[in-house]
Every structure is written in structure tokens, then in C-alpha cells.
Amino acid sequence: FCSRLTSGALLGRGLWSDGAWAFCLMGAIASCICGGSSPAPPPAKTDASAGCSTAGYDWSPPAEEKPKPPPKPAPTTPITLETLQGEWVNSMGAKIKVTGTEVALNGLVMKMHPLTLNEDGSVSSVGRLWQLRGWLEDERVEFKEAPSKEVMEFARSVIWTKATEERMEEWTQQMKGLGYSGSASNPLSRGIEGCCPGTSDAAARIVKDDVDRDKAELKLLNDLIIKYRLPGLRKVPPRLVIPDFSNRGHTGLSVEHVHYLATSFRDKGFQTRKGDQGHDIPVLVQESTTSDLGRKSIENWRAKLQEETGFPPKEHYERTFAGQEIYTSLGNGHFNQALNLFANECSSIYNGKKYLIGNDRNLREAVETGVSAIIVRGEITLKDREIISKLLNSKREYKWKVAADGTVDIADSTEDHKTCKQFEALSKVLDAVELNCLVRSELGITDSHRIGQ
């Protein structure tokens, strides 16, 4: 019945949502049955590009882009406290206001991260969040997302741009396109987390992954390892391994993370590496106990053992220091010290339970013999050690290819796009003090004498 429905409501099926189409269809049927007259034609299709806002998203057609003038050269003047006063917008999509040394992010004052200055009065950093890199073109300021200068080289850049009227108009359009309009435009008046511009990589639409940079850094890492490495892979007993002087900005290792790994080995069993899956391949420096960097690594680790009782006992390492050769870790340092906890049957800093090898044959082999590692010669410079150490962590998502003869190809490694826990990703880039805090947060530890240290 009512054959004219076909030319009306049914034709509108492709234009409306399911609910709107069903409502129209029912109305057409009711009109046909009860009124006997022809059903009213469906609403005319509206052009979504005519300008509307749905759920905070602006569907208006993009305005024609005006040709931009050539960029102004980067200034050469020092960046002082006075330089940064006022309002800025950063490349993460956040509004920033600087008053004195106080920095506000989207209206929230970051009391724990004020501006810090160098001895000459120039700006050094925004607390332990961003390290100042310097001027860019068009009077933009580049910061590095890192806790200290020592670890900032390969960190992500965060760009500050002065909040001019033109820039704020551009920022507002960008935020609309990301959903920050309507009730989400003022995050401080809402009770919902996660809707604060700049807190969730809001600039993802305009900042692209720098594939060329990744390739260049992987090539640099590969070239340095090829330059200094000894042939093949070697197994080194963990008892001979200590952190390299260059590791994690000279802050050494996180005792909390060492125990976190040891607990995992004990509770879940030790998982050997198979192909490109499993634990990372350690990168170790074959070092003399009498060389300059060898002595500095020993002194640095002795000082760490003196202030932190959660590591294996000092006597364990002194037996190694009495010899002529040690190995210092550029990568996977926590892994080796977690194995040393088992070698000494140390107690957990969390529950006092001893780390015992038991019947785990894989764990016993790792503790007594070691796992396959890349060994580099002790002649490697401190600068190159730092570069390798930083790139090993910042490129953690790239899987290495290990040939049967022990040759490792890093430059042609593939990126692993599988999701990983935020804890795992952060654990690769934090220094020892910050990593301690991260592990406590992951484990829910609220009562420890290490809190605040």
C-alpha cells in the first residue's frame, strides 16, 4: 500500500540517521492510513558543509588559505625571564601564561615547575618538564620534553608561539577541529578529566611523525655500534656488569625498577629471547677497571650502593672491581642488576621475600652465564656512549634483526605498532629518581621511606 512511500521516505534512507528515517517512515505510513492523502515529501537534504556544529565539531568548509609570508630569521638575543612574560600557545595545543617565574598551563599554575634560570640570567627550563633549546624562526621558542639537559637531545620538541590575535584565531580553529568547543572549550569549568587542550597531544592533526628523523637516528645508532662493537654476540655473567657512567644522565639505575623486574622473573618465570621477541639485547662496554671511564663508572656505582641498600651488596661488586676487567651497561642495565639480586638471594624491598632461583633453569642460566649481548670496545668516547644509551631507550619500539652469526641490523629495523603499557614506554625515558616514582605509582605503593627522595 501507499506506493508513493518509495519516492518519499525510502529515498531519504541514505540521507538521514536511522532514528530520523524511521520516524519519517512511520509518519508517512500513519498519514497514508489515517488521512488517505499522499504522504508529505521527505525533508530536503541539507548540505552538511553549509556550516553547523555537532557535538563540538565544526563542519564548516575550510576557509581558503592565504599565502604565508617567508619566516623571519631566528633571533640571536638571549632568552631571559622578561622575554617569556605574557601569553603563549604551544605545539601541544595548550595555552600558557608566564608571570614572573610562575607558569600557568590552561589556567592552572604549575607550582612544582617554575621557570629556572642559568647563572647569567638566561632561562634554563620550565621546572623538570621542558628544557630550553633556543630560538626558532618567527620568534618561536623551542623546548625539549625532558627532565634535564643531559637527556634532552633526542627528546620531543615543544614549540612556544606568542599568543598574537592571528595565532589565537588559528589556535581556536584547530581546537574546534579537535572537538574542544561547546562545553569542552573551558576545561576549568567542567568536572570531566581528559578534556583539557594540550594534555592529550592535541596537536596530533598538524604535527606529523618525523619518519626521516627516526631513520636518521636509527642509522646513527647502527653506525656507532658497528664502529665500536666486537664481532658476534657474547654472554657476560651479570656479576661482571655495572651501569656505565653515562647511563640515564649519570643518575644510575632505579632500585625500584630493578626489584620490579626481579619480582616479575620470580613470579612469572624468566622468559628467554626468541627472534625479535622477549627481553632487550644488552649493550655492554668491555672496560678496564683502571681506565678513566672505568674508574668513573666504579666510583659512581659505589656511591649509589652507599646511599641505597636495596641493590645487591657492595661485597658482590668489590670482587669484580678487584679484577682487571668489568662490563658497563649502556642498555638493559636494570635487567642485569635484577639478575644479581637472585645471585645474592637478596630480599624484596616490597615484602621481604627472598629472590630464589628455584627450579627455573632459564633463570639460572641467565644469572650464572648471562644472556647474549652486544659488546663494544672500551675506547668508545663518553659522548658516543651517551648517544647510544639515549637512542637505545628512545627507539625502544623498533625491533632489531639478529642474524645467525650475531650480526645486528638496527638501521633497517621495523617499528612495532602493537600497543604497550604507558608504564613500559615511560620507563625507557625517565631518569633513576623519576623511574622510582613511576614504579611506586604502578604498584600502588604509598608507604615507603623512598617516597620524596
Side-chain angles (χ1 to χ4, degrees):
F1 64 88
C2 290
S3 60
R4 279 170 291 183
L5 279 172
T6 304
S7 61
L10 292 179
L11 283 177
R13 176 67 184 94
L15 306 181
W16 309 321
S17 67
D18 289 345
W21 172 77
F23 183 79
C24 179
L25 181 58
M26 287 188 293
I29 294 172
S31 176
C32 184
I33 294 175
C34 301
S37 58
S38 301
K45 179 180 178 181
T46 57
D47 184 2
S49 66
C52 65
S53 179
T54 305
Y57 292 88
D58 189 358
W59 299 100
S60 302
E64 292 185 10
E65 291 189 8
K66 299 178 180 178
K68 293 183 178 180
K72 300 177 183 177
T76 57
T77 55
I79 299 177
T80 63
L81 191 61
E82 184 179 355
T83 307
L84 295 183
Q85 298 301 299
E87 296 184 344
W88 300 76
V89 174
N90 76 7
S91 54
M92 306 286 287
K95 287 182 180 179
I96 294 169
K97 184 175 182 180
V98 179
T99 307
T101 59
E102 201 172 70
V103 180
L105 183 72
N106 292 318
L108 298 173
V109 176
M110 300 189 293
K111 294 183 179 180
M112 300 301 293
H113 298 283
L115 286 175
T116 64
L117 306 179
N118 297 310
E119 291 182 359
D120 61 0
S122 60
V123 173
S124 175
S125 70
V126 178
R128 291 175 64 82
L129 287 181
W130 299 317
Q131 305 298 317
L132 180 64
R133 181 73 179 271
W135 286 110
L136 295 177
E137 295 175 330
D138 287 333
E139 298 184 339
R140 296 175 301 154
V141 179
E142 181 183 14
F143 288 87
K144 284 288 189 174
E145 196 175 63
S148 63
K149 298 287 187 185
E150 290 80 9
V151 296
M152 79 175 195
E153 183 175 356
F154 300 103
R156 178 169 60 174
S157 292
V158 177
I159 313 300
W160 287 23
T161 306
K162 261 296 185 183
T164 61
E165 184 176 343
E166 180 182 1
R167 176 62 182 123
M168 289 311 299
E169 183 178 345
E170 180 183 337
W171 181 89
T172 300
Q173 292 302 317
Q174 177 193 342
M175 290 299 104
K176 277 187 177 181
L178 291 164
Y180 292 113
S181 59
S183 63
S185 62
N186 184 4
L188 299 184
S189 67
R190 308 183 76 219
I192 302 174
E193 294 183 16
C195 292
C196 191
T199 61
S200 300
D201 277 358
R205 183 169 65 94
I206 59 172
V207 177
K208 299 179 180 178
D209 288 337
D210 194 341
V211 177
D212 291 338
R213 175 179 170 177
D214 283 337
K215 288 182 178 179
E217 290 180 351
L218 284 170
K219 183 178 185 305
L220 173 61
L221 176 59
N222 197 64
D223 291 347
L224 286 175
I225 288 181
I226 289 175
K227 178 180 179 181
Y228 294 107
R229 72 169 298 181
L230 295 172
L233 298 175
R234 300 185 184 183
K235 289 186 177 182
V236 176
R239 63 179 179 275
L240 301 179
V241 180
I242 65 172
D244 192 79
F245 179 65
S246 65
N247 198 271
R248 291 186 184 255
H250 312 295
T251 62
L253 302 183
S254 156
V255 67
E256 307 263 2
H257 195 46
V258 169
H259 279 263
Y260 179 88
L261 292 177
T263 301
S264 177
F265 297 161
R266 182 187 62 198
D267 297 346
K268 301 177 182 178
F270 185 82
Q271 306 297 315
T272 58
R273 182 181 175 91
K274 295 180 180 179
D276 62 357
Q277 301 299 316
H279 62 76
D280 294 339
I281 300 175
V283 179
L284 309 175
V285 181
Q286 187 180 47
E287 190 65 84
S288 167
T289 54
T290 58
S291 68
D292 178 52
L293 290 177
R295 288 197 308 270
K296 286 182 177 178
S297 296
I298 291 173
E299 291 167 5
N300 200 45
W301 190 233
R302 275 178 175 155
K304 193 73 175 179
L305 295 174
Q306 187 71 29
E307 68 183 42
E308 177 51 73
T309 59
F311 289 115
K314 184 179 178 182
E315 295 74 27
H316 166 82
Y317 299 99
E318 290 298 340
R319 290 191 289 271
T320 298
F321 298 159
Q324 296 182 344
E325 186 178 74
I326 58 172
Y327 291 83
T328 60
S329 56
L330 299 178
N332 229 13
H334 293 89
F335 174 86
N336 277 289
Q337 300 316 316
L339 293 176
N340 280 330
L341 290 177
F342 284 93
N344 292 273
E345 296 188 352
C346 297
S347 298
S348 168
I349 61 175
Y350 303 125
N351 54 26
K353 188 177 178 181
K354 283 192 173 183
Y355 296 111
L356 302 175
I357 296 175
N359 297 320
D360 191 333
R361 289 196 292 181
N362 290 334
L363 178 57
R364 182 173 298 279
E365 182 181 356
V367 170
E368 296 178 355
T369 309
V371 300
S372 297
I374 294 173
I375 310 298
V376 298
R377 301 189 302 275
E379 65 192 56
I380 181 173
T381 65
L382 177 61
K383 180 65 174 177
D384 286 344
R385 295 179 194 221
E386 290 175 343
I387 292 174
I388 290 176
S389 180
K390 292 169 186 174
L391 287 177
L392 285 173
N393 288 322
S394 66
K395 301 303 173 190
R396 59 148 197 90
E397 68 272 26
Y398 287 86
K399 299 298 182 182
W400 299 5
K401 297 176 182 177
V402 183
D405 61 355
T407 304
V408 179
D409 184 4
I410 302 171
D412 196 33
S413 59
T414 56
E415 185 175 4
D416 185 1
H417 292 283
K418 296 176 183 176
T419 58
C420 75
K421 291 178 63 177
Q422 188 179 39
F423 169 80
E424 180 184 346
L426 287 173
S427 69
K428 297 293 186 180
V429 296
L430 301 180
D431 66 24
V433 178
E434 295 162 331
L435 188 48
N436 277 338
C437 298
L438 179 68
V439 173
R440 288 196 294 268
S441 175
E442 172 75 5
L443 298 178
I445 294 172
T446 57
D447 185 16
S448 169
H449 73 276
R450 294 179 177 83
I451 294 176
Q453 294 184 359

